[in-house]
Amino acid sequence: MNDLKEGREQWGSRLGFILAAMGSAVGLGNIWRFSYVTGESGGAAFLLIYILCILAIGIPILMAEFTIGRRAQSDVVGSFETLAPGKPWVLAGFLGVASAFIILSFYAVVAGWSLHYFVQYLSGGPSIDAEGGYGGYFGEFISSPLQPLFWQFAFMVLTVGIVFVGVKKGIEKSNKILMPLLAVLVLVLAGYSMTLGGAQEAIAFLFTPDWSSLTDPNVYFAALGQAFFSLSLGMGALITYGSYLSKKDKLPGAAVSVAGLDTLFAIVAGLMIFPAVFAFGIEPDSGPGLVFITLPGIFDSITGGGIFGLAFFFLLSAAALSSGVSLLEVAVAYFMRKFQWSRQKTAIFIGFIIFILGIPSSLGLGILSDVQIFGRDIFDTMDFIASNIFLPIGGLIIALFVGWGWKKADALDASDFGDTLIGNGWILILRFFAPVAIFIIFLSSIGVL
Ligand code: PFF
C-alpha cells in the first residue's frame, strides 16, 4: 500500500513523530482548559473520572487513530475511503475536518491572549490598577473589540507559517526544542506555587473527591470532552500524524507515552494553578480566564517574576502553536489531496477562513456578549459543539470502525499488537466498552438516563 503514495511526506524519525504527537496533545488544553474545566466541575471527582476516561477510552482510541492513519497513509477522509471504500465510516472523516475548523477558530482566540500576555511581559508585565487587579485587566482586554482579534490573527499567521513549511521541517523541528522547556518551567512554577499558602486547599480540591458529585452526569460529560480535547482525539489529528509514519515504527509505546505525558502535564499544571487560586482568594470556577488571572499573580510574588512571566507565556504560546498546527494540518491534508492544491496555497486559504470563523468567538466575549445560545456565549458554544459533541461522536465512530468495520486480524496486524492478549483486549474495548460508555455518558447528560 505504501508504494502507492510515493512522494508523500514522512516524519524524519520515530522520536520526531512521538514529539509531534505530544506537541499536538500538549497545549492550551492542559493548562488553560484543564484548569478552568476542573475548577468549574468541582475538582477531584472530575479529575478521577477524567483519568478513567483517558485510560479506558482515550488510550484505546488513540491507538485506533494511529493504526488507521499509518495503514491508510492518507488524511482523515482519505483514510476511511481507502480502508472502507463506499462505506459510511467516512462520516468520521468529515466530522473531523469540521471539528478542525471549529476548534482552531476559538483555539486561536485563546492562543492570541497568550501571545498578548507574552508581549506584555516583554515590558515587565500587564499594568493593572489596584482596584480591578488581574481579573479586571483580563476582562477589559478580552472584551475590547480589536486587540484580541489582532493577536488571534498573529497566531493564525504563525500556525499557517509552520504548516506552510511542511511536516518534517516545520512541525517536527519546532516541537523538539520547546516541549521539554515548557515541561521544566511548569514543574518549577508548580513547586513555587505550592509554597504560596494555598497548597493544602489545592491538594484537597484536586485529590479528595466529593463522592456525591459522582452522581452528576455533567461531570462525566465534561470529563469525556476534556479527555478528547486534551489528547487531540476524535477528529483525526492523530490519524493524519500517523499517516506520516512508516511501517517500521511501533505504535503502542507511542500511544501510551503521548497519553501519559499529556495527563502528567495537566496534573502538574493543576498543581501550579490551584495553590495560587486559593492563596489569592480567586474562585476556582471563574471560567476561561483562570490562568490569565492567577498566573500573573504568581509572577508578581516572585522577585524577578517578570522573567518567569515572559518565559511562561512564550512557552504556552509555543505549546498552543504546536497544537494549532496539528489542527490546521487535518484540514490542509484533506483539501490538498481533494483539490490537488499545493501545501502552501491550502495552508494560507484554510488558515484565513478559520481566522474569519473565529472572529465571532472573540467578539462574543465583548461587544457580542448579548448573543447567547442555550445560555452559552458564542465562544463557549463553539467549544461545546466541537469538544463535547463532535469529538466524542468522532471517537465513537473510530472505535466502532476498528472494532467492527475492519477485519479483526487486519486491525491487529496494522496496530503492531498482533494476536496477543493485549491486542484482543484492545479490540474488545473498541467493540463494546468505549462505544457503550460514550453513549451512556451522552444519554445521561441530556437527561434521558
Ligand atoms: N490537544 C490540544 C490541547 O490540549 O491544547 C488541542 C487539540 C489539538 C485538540 C488538536 C484537537 C486536536 F485535533
Side-chain angles (χ1 to χ4, degrees):
M1 187 168 294
N2 289 2
D3 9 350
L4 285 178
K5 316 269 160 138
E6 229 167 278
R8 208 163 177 277
E9 292 171 275
Q10 292 254 313
W11 300 111
S13 64
R14 172 179 149 91
L15 182 66
F17 159 69
I18 295 182
L19 286 174
M22 283 176 179
S24 169
V26 176
L28 295 170
N30 302 64
I31 295 175
W32 159 75
R33 198 176 189 282
F34 173 79
S35 57
Y36 96 80
V37 174
T38 305
E40 282 180 342
S41 310
F46 167 87
L47 183 58
L48 182 70
I49 300 167
Y50 170 70
I51 291 175
L52 289 178
C53 285
I54 298 268
L55 290 174
I57 303 176
I59 295 179
I61 296 183
L62 212 160
M63 256 312 283
E65 289 209 17
F66 282 170
T67 305
I68 293 173
R70 189 182 60 180
R71 172 51 64 92
Q73 298 280 303
S74 187
D75 56 85
V76 236
V77 173
S79 286
F80 288 99
E81 284 171 345
T82 307
L83 298 177
K87 299 268 174 58
W89 300 112
V90 69
L91 178 67
F94 291 114
L95 263 181
V97 175
S99 306
F101 275 83
I102 302 176
I103 295 182
L104 186 52
S105 76
F106 72 80
Y107 202 80
V109 173
V110 183
W113 302 345
S114 174
L115 280 179
H116 167 82
Y117 273 70
F118 164 64
V119 171
Q120 291 298 307
Y121 275 100
L122 283 175
S123 50
S127 43
I128 52 169
D129 52 51
E131 226 171 283
Y134 287 110
Y137 177 88
F138 176 75
E140 216 163 279
F141 166 65
I142 61 163
S143 57
S144 70
L146 288 181
Q147 270 208 62
L149 288 184
F150 171 80
W151 293 108
Q152 176 196 347
F153 184 76
F155 178 77
M156 285 308 299
V157 169
L158 294 172
T159 309
V160 166
I162 294 186
V163 172
F164 187 99
V165 181
V167 169
K168 200 175 358 180
K169 286 205 214 92
I171 302 177
E172 194 171 328
K173 269 225 175 103
S174 51
N175 277 306
K176 272 191 184 158
I177 311 163
L178 298 173
M179 301 307 303
L181 280 180
L182 181 65
V184 171
L185 188 66
V186 170
L187 270 173
V188 171
L189 288 174
Y192 174 76
S193 180
M194 298 289 279
T195 67
L196 287 179
Q200 258 184 353
E201 252 175 297
I203 287 182
F205 182 74
L206 284 173
F207 301 115
T208 316
D210 161 11
W211 299 109
S212 66
S213 38
L214 292 182
T215 54
D216 177 2
N218 286 319
V219 171
Y220 294 80
F221 198 42
L224 185 73
Q226 175 62 20
F228 273 89
F229 189 91
S230 192
L231 292 179
S232 303
L233 222 55
M235 51 163 285
L238 300 173
I239 292 183
T240 309
Y241 273 18
S243 78
Y244 303 128
L245 206 52
S246 69
K247 180 64 194 155
K248 54 185 192 305
D249 300 299
K250 289 265 176 287
L251 294 181
V256 172
S257 338
V258 170
L261 190 100
D262 188 71
T263 309
L264 204 64
F265 234 107
I267 293 174
V268 179
L271 290 175
M272 164 177 79
I273 291 152
F274 285 103
V277 164
F278 292 108
F280 301 147
I282 295 166
E283 290 303 321
D285 60 355
S286 322
L290 198 63
V291 291
F292 294 93
I293 299 169
T294 42
L295 290 179
I298 302 189
F299 303 138
D300 256 2
S301 70
I302 311 177
T303 0
I307 299 287
F308 282 89
L310 189 67
F312 178 81
F313 283 109
F314 172 74
L315 292 168
L316 184 66
S317 307
L321 191 58
S322 57
S323 303
V325 159
S326 72
L327 285 158
L328 184 59
E329 181 66 19
V330 169
V332 166
Y334 167 64
F335 283 101
M336 259 170 78
R337 177 186 58 84
K338 179 82 188 160
F339 298 111
Q340 303 279 311
W341 291 340
S342 70
R343 167 172 280 282
Q344 289 75 5
K345 174 174 152 189
T346 320
I348 294 175
F349 180 62
I350 303 293
F352 187 70
I353 294 183
I354 291 177
F355 166 69
I356 303 285
L357 190 69
I359 293 177
S361 290
S362 179
L363 297 181
L365 300 166
I367 53 175
L368 294 183
S369 60
D370 286 344
V371 182
Q372 296 275 322
I373 304 146
F374 294 111
R376 293 190 173 85
D377 57 42
I378 304 177
F379 179 99
D380 272 351
T381 304
M382 298 294 253
D383 185 0
F384 179 77
I385 293 176
S387 314
N388 291 38
I389 310 217
F390 280 20
L391 296 187
I393 292 183
L396 177 73
I397 303 178
I398 289 168
L400 291 173
F401 169 68
V402 175
W404 299 98
W406 212 353
K407 244 178 67 200
K408 184 173 156 192
D410 285 350
L412 284 175
D413 175 53
S415 67
D416 300 330
F417 278 132
D419 194 1
T420 56
L421 194 64
I422 302 187
N424 284 291
W426 175 60
I427 296 282
L428 279 182
I429 290 183
L430 295 177
R431 280 193 177 163
F432 303 106
F433 180 78
V436 169
I438 295 174
F439 197 63
I440 291 180
I441 293 176
F442 259 93
L443 288 187
S444 60
S445 74
I446 49 172
V448 176
L449 287 183

